[in-house]
Amino acid sequence: MAGPLENLVVVDASQVMPGSIASMLLADHGADVIRVEPPQGTFFAHDLPRKSWERGKRSVTLDLAAPADRDTLRGLLATADVFIHSLGSADAAALGLDRAALELEFPALVTCALSAYGDDTPLAGRPYGESLAAAVLGTMAEKGTSHRPGPVYLGHPALHYGQAFLAVIDILALLRKRHENGLGEAVEVSLMDAMLAQSPMNSWWHPEGLSYIKKGDTAARDRFGRTRLVTGLFECGDGLYLQMHTGGLGGFKAAFDVLGFGDRIKAVQGAEMAIPLEDEEHHIARVEIYDAFLTQPRDYWVQAFQKVDVAVLPVLEPAEVLLDDQVEFVGQRIALPDEDFGTIYQAGPAVRFSETSPQTPTPAPRIGQHNGELPVMLARGKPQFVAGTQGKVRAPLEGLRVLDFSSFFACGYGGRLLSDLGADVIKVETPDGDQMRPLPSCFDAAQRGKRDVVLNLKSPEGLAAAHDLIAGADVVMHNLRPGKADKLGLGYAQLAALNPQLIYAFLPGYGSQGPKSKLKSFAPLVSGWTGLLYEGGGAGNPPTDGVFGNEDYNNGFLGAVAVLMAIEARYRTGKGQYLECPQLHSSLFTTAEHFLDADRKVVYGFRLDHEQMGFNALDRIYPTSDGHFVCICCRDDARFGALAAALGQPGLAQDARFADPAARSRHDAELRALLEAWFAGRTAAVAKAALDAAGAAAEIVREQGKTAWVDEVLLADWAEQSGRVIEHFNARFGHIREFAYFTELGRRYGGRKPSAPQLGEHSEEILREIGYDEDKIAALVAMTRKQPVAA
């Protein structure tokens, strides 16, 4: 088979990067993606990331301003299951492609619009751009830099990938709803959604400021305060870098034993993070540790920590990890023929499926390469899909039951995203509880909206209860170390025998097999290993301490996508299956713009400049005369023309050096010099006013202050009224405000879901649902009672 999405037809007419990323994810896993491009391509069509982001698709060119070409687009939509676009509400209405028109003309079509901020926020109508959103939402101020004062341009496109993930989750959820209801639906996903969806781990409101991490610069050395946890970037004695994470039972003590501090760090029984650091321990963990790492080379530390089961990985450049033995073992490095490099090496499709394995994608097409196939495309009939048996549903995932056996964040976050869209997600915990329970905000971010049952899986009775739950479930998710599920009696073969239609989602760190499969995996180690810290560091700089976005969020996103892909395949085949979605794979996917050339040397798709100000002159932040910064995002022809007008040099748009995006890239240094001088002579407010007046896309960069934007949003009336924030008065830690729904689809159907559950809060009701009588329930509950643990 061609993948879990075989026979799905997707028309992608978006002109923003997340659209290309989203349709790549769909194409990689079997969808037939028709990429509708303007006659000369989008402004980023000639950039190197095209080699990844447009692979596996067919390209046709249409000018949507021309009535005949709009008719051709409509002909394609009549044969399609999914339509992705980036038109604003007014532009879509002017072209007859607005939500109401599409639902009337194509009732089975699922439509996803990609926007900047959505129509129901104070920023509605502001121009689209990842850098612009990062500027105005404060993301550029979140990470400090040692190179200069001020905000930092995002070297890793986390908002682009986040928006793409959310778009695909909503698309697949609506396809599931279509199976049951027979109708398609439209949804909007914004860059703001993507930012909020990558914020809840560290951001909530509590009246006493309760959090497991200090506010401010999230790369600061003391960000974990007194929490018995170390995770961060360390320079070693040979000038190379690694990241370490002390999570897991005994990890903190084991790490400091290796570092030579064993006699000064006490041993803690049970969850180490629940016991605060004492004064001397705090000084060791936040100060002395850095000098300790300088005493040995990186390879020494990596081997020493891995020997005692402490999570550690080297920090590499993007795509360099494609040469690793684990990537080789799992077949994640693929070779594609390329017109420019002869051969390029990329990461393959991110999810492994046992029954619907995707094929190696074809190379990215030339712009309009498949125009000659348009008559055949238009001749296809209306989309066909299998009708479900559940009956009408309101929420897209209503009626699906997901059992979450995971601990820590990533896998649990994937389950939370499914819960947001209507699935009944049950967290199954052992009597000791998830090790992340002591961490305020972090645990709640991954577990909001779920129910909770406690079972002693090491007892025959507890395992039998788990099996009875699984017999009636649609999905099982876990991130147990490879082999542990089988030992517990929760392996795929064991559970598939109980429930042949079961979808079994395994989200390990590195894979179920291979040389690194048994290593611990914690964010942000895999992110650093796959190149994100060098992305954020900038050309010629050492890796940065941290970037916005990491594999915990990304693997949660991809895990939800993978489950929904398997559900889509189950409607077609009637079968469940095993799927594997490691953190390694999700991190490779979110650095897909980089690759190796024929000599297996790293090729950056985009490269943040040395000053950490931008990718190029037209997508960059500039200092102004009053010490502030303004961000511009003006790479396409229309925006560049507006920028030229704002500069008082409208002739630049007709200058042959700047005639199109490719020409402007060749003459980037000239544009940068011109723009630096212009901004240096104006205050931020004056520059912004001139740019706005001309219609040039720009924002004043929000700088670090007393309150971060995400913290302000948690208290904003509009955020609560729109369903982005919810207030609870009786949560695990009392009165809190937390992020609720990350997309319009969740806000449309999610209702008022509760905060994270108490340990075993729903055990009795869940056991009743599977037919257990009160005596049996009481016996099972009694088996799980131990000394009190943290809520």
Side-chain angles (χ1 to χ4, degrees):
M1 287 189 171
L5 304 182
E6 184 179 20
N7 299 325
L8 191 75
V9 178
V10 177
V11 174
D12 175 12
S14 66
Q15 296 191 35
V16 296
M17 295 177 190
S20 293
I21 297 169
S23 60
M24 174 185 72
L25 185 54
L26 296 169
D28 271 0
H29 295 91
D32 178 9
V33 176
I34 302 168
R35 185 72 172 100
V36 177
E37 305 188 75
Q40 302 304 317
T42 62
F43 71 87
F44 57 93
H46 303 281
D47 295 339
L48 287 175
R50 180 182 182 87
K51 297 178 185 297
S52 301
W53 292 350
E54 307 294 6
R55 71 186 188 189
K57 307 175 190 178
R58 295 188 286 172
S59 172
V60 300
T61 54
L62 296 175
D63 180 1
L64 297 188
D69 280 5
R70 285 204 301 278
D71 288 341
T72 300
L73 176 63
R74 283 191 168 82
L76 291 173
L77 296 181
T79 74
D81 299 281
V82 176
F83 178 39
I84 302 172
H85 70 82
S86 54
L87 296 165
S89 298
D91 290 338
L95 296 173
L97 298 172
D98 56 285
R99 180 177 297 190
L102 291 172
E103 290 181 347
L104 181 64
E105 189 172 358
F106 310 109
L109 186 67
V110 169
T111 300
C112 182
L114 303 172
S115 72
Y117 307 105
D119 290 334
D120 61 344
T121 75
L123 292 169
R126 293 302 302 168
Y128 186 97
E130 180 186 50
S131 56
L132 301 177
V136 76
L137 301 180
T139 316
M140 290 183 178
E142 183 177 332
K143 305 294 182 185
T145 174
S146 60
H147 302 304
R148 57 168 175 78
V152 178
Y153 187 100
L154 298 190
H156 171 62
L159 300 185
H160 279 161
Y161 278 102
Q163 187 176 27
F165 276 132
L166 293 177
V168 173
I169 290 169
D170 277 8
I171 286 167
L172 294 171
L174 285 175
L175 288 172
R176 187 269 172 175
K177 185 177 182 180
R178 186 180 71 166
H179 284 294
E180 299 297 338
N181 291 9
L183 294 173
E185 204 166 322
V187 70
E188 177 189 57
V189 176
S190 73
L191 288 169
M192 180 187 286
D193 292 330
M195 193 270 194
L196 294 178
Q198 295 175 83
S199 299
M201 185 190 300
N202 301 336
S203 300
W204 73 350
W205 176 87
H206 186 274
E208 298 174 8
L210 190 64
S211 176
Y212 84 103
I213 192 169
K214 284 190 174 182
K215 292 294 183 181
D217 180 3
T218 57
R221 291 184 173 186
D222 195 32
R223 64 192 183 281
F224 293 111
R226 297 272 171 171
T227 301
R228 197 169 291 267
L229 174 69
V230 168
T231 174
L233 177 74
F234 298 96
E235 183 179 3
C236 302
D238 53 2
L240 300 178
Y241 294 83
L242 61 76
Q243 285 185 298
M244 178 184 71
H245 193 298
T246 63
L249 290 174
F252 188 87
K253 172 62 172 167
F256 282 93
D257 286 347
V258 170
L259 287 164
F261 298 106
D263 59 334
R264 299 167 62 193
I265 299 289
K266 70 181 182 182
V268 171
Q269 298 300 315
E272 290 181 305
M273 288 184 282
I275 307 301
L277 292 170
E278 297 175 0
D279 288 346
E280 183 180 20
E281 293 177 316
H282 178 266
H283 192 266
I284 292 168
R286 307 300 180 231
V287 179
E288 296 179 45
I289 187 173
Y290 291 92
D291 288 336
F293 271 103
L294 291 173
T295 63
Q296 296 289 348
R298 182 171 71 184
D299 285 350
Y300 171 88
W301 291 121
V302 170
Q303 293 174 23
F305 287 123
Q306 290 181 351
K307 186 176 180 180
V308 297
D309 200 28
V310 171
V312 63
L313 284 173
V315 173
L316 305 178
E317 291 197 67
E320 191 178 353
V321 74
L322 291 172
L323 300 174
D324 187 82
D325 54 359
Q326 180 67 28
V327 176
E328 176 80 26
F329 183 90
V330 298
Q332 268 296 102
R333 186 181 69 238
I334 60 173
L336 295 180
D338 184 80
E339 293 181 349
D340 300 313
F341 294 90
T343 299
I344 59 174
Y345 298 93
Q346 301 176 332
V351 187
R352 294 177 56 198
F353 293 90
S354 63
E355 305 299 321
T356 54
S357 180
Q359 299 173 349
T360 299
T362 56
R366 297 183 301 278
I367 299 168
Q369 180 176 331
H370 301 94
N371 282 345
E373 298 179 18
L374 267 170
V376 176
M377 296 177 189
L378 293 167
R380 290 191 293 199
K382 292 182 179 180
Q384 302 295 315
F385 54 91
V386 177
T389 58
Q390 183 173 314
K392 299 290 185 181
V393 296
R394 181 177 180 274
L397 304 185
E398 180 183 329
L400 291 177
R401 173 165 285 188
V402 179
L403 300 181
D404 175 6
F405 288 85
S406 70
S407 60
F408 293 100
F409 191 86
C411 187
Y413 190 57
R416 176 255 170 93
L417 295 171
L418 299 175
S419 172
D420 283 352
L421 297 178
D424 176 19
V425 181
I426 298 173
K427 181 170 178 60
V428 184
E429 294 190 75
T430 65
D432 289 328
D434 191 324
Q435 293 179 57
M436 201 169 65
R437 273 191 172 271
L439 302 184
S441 72
C442 192
F443 180 82
D444 288 58
Q447 310 304 336
R448 193 188 86 86
K450 300 180 187 178
R451 298 193 291 163
D452 192 281
V453 61
V454 173
L455 297 173
N456 182 353
L457 297 174
K458 294 182 179 179
S459 71
E461 297 85 355
L463 181 61
H467 284 173
D468 288 339
L469 279 169
I470 289 162
D474 296 282
V475 180
V476 162
M477 302 178 73
H478 77 83
N479 62 348
L480 298 168
R481 300 281 281 274
K484 187 173 181 179
D486 295 279
K487 290 179 181 178
L488 287 171
L490 298 174
Y492 173 65
Q494 297 158 310
L495 302 191
L498 294 172
N499 182 351
Q501 290 195 314
L502 182 71
I503 292 162
Y504 187 98
F506 183 32
L507 278 67
Y510 308 95
S512 57
Q513 299 180 47
K516 289 185 172 63
S517 61
K518 298 297 179 68
L519 296 181
K520 279 184 179 177
S521 176
F522 290 105
L525 273 61
V526 177
S527 293
W529 190 41
T530 54
L532 270 68
L533 300 189
Y534 273 101
E535 282 187 304
N541 295 324
T544 188
D545 288 333
V547 297
F548 184 78
N550 64 47
E551 68 268 30
D552 266 350
Y553 289 118
N554 293 333
N555 208 49
F557 293 141
L558 188 61
V561 166
V563 166
L564 293 171
M565 286 180 175
I567 288 171
E568 178 65 22
R570 190 175 69 173
Y571 276 104
R572 189 179 72 251
T573 66
K575 299 178 181 178
Q577 62 180 312
Y578 170 93
L579 68 88
E580 193 168 303
C581 176
Q583 285 187 321
L584 168 59
H585 295 199
S586 60
S587 296
L588 287 170
F589 177 79
T590 53
T591 52
E593 66 271 25
H594 314 295
F595 54 89
L596 301 175
D597 65 15
D599 296 324
R600 303 193 177 191
K601 302 297 184 184
V602 172
V603 178
Y604 278 78
F606 294 123
R607 188 95 191 252
L608 181 63
D609 62 23
H610 180 71
E611 296 80 10
Q612 298 176 304
M613 304 283 256
F615 288 133
N616 53 60
L618 298 176
D619 198 334
R620 183 178 172 81
I621 58 176
Y622 289 93
T624 54
S625 63
D626 53 353
H628 298 296
F629 292 80
V630 172
C631 179
I632 62 169
C633 183
C634 296
R635 290 191 63 201
D636 70 26
D637 289 343
R639 288 188 176 188
F640 180 70
L643 176 64
L647 299 178
Q649 300 187 50
L652 288 176
Q654 285 74 49
D655 189 318
R657 296 172 298 166
F658 313 126
D660 57 46
R664 292 192 284 273
S665 291
R666 290 193 297 270
H667 296 276
D668 188 76
E670 296 159 74
L671 285 171
R672 177 175 163 179
L674 186 156
L675 288 162
E676 285 176 338
W678 189 83
F679 280 104
R682 291 161 177 79
T683 66
V686 169
K688 170 74 161 33
L691 293 162
D692 275 351
E699 299 288 357
I700 295 176
V701 180
R702 183 186 178 105
E703 296 175 45
Q704 200 167 43
K706 293 183 179 179
T707 306
W709 183 86
V710 289
D711 293 330
E712 290 182 2
V713 169
L714 284 164
L715 298 175
D717 290 341
W718 69 265
E720 185 174 10
Q721 292 163 5
S722 67
R724 291 173 173 84
V725 169
I726 189 167
E727 186 168 28
H728 302 287
F729 292 93
N730 295 293
R732 292 191 313 132
F733 292 95
H735 183 194
I736 65 169
R737 290 172 70 94
E738 64 180 344
F739 292 115
Y741 297 105
F742 301 121
T743 66
E744 178 197 4
L745 194 59
R747 295 188 286 271
R748 191 185 301 168
Y749 296 116
R752 188 178 176 84
K753 289 216 167 191
S755 60
Q758 300 284 354
L759 183 64
E761 180 177 345
H762 309 95
S763 291
E764 294 183 13
E765 72 177 56
I766 290 168
L767 293 171
R768 287 190 192 100
E769 290 171 2
I770 58 173
Y772 282 23
D773 62 30
E774 296 305 312
D775 289 342
K776 193 171 185 179
I777 292 171
L780 277 168
V781 171
M783 292 175 62
T784 65
R785 290 194 179 123
K786 300 183 70 175
Q787 66 265 23
V789 298

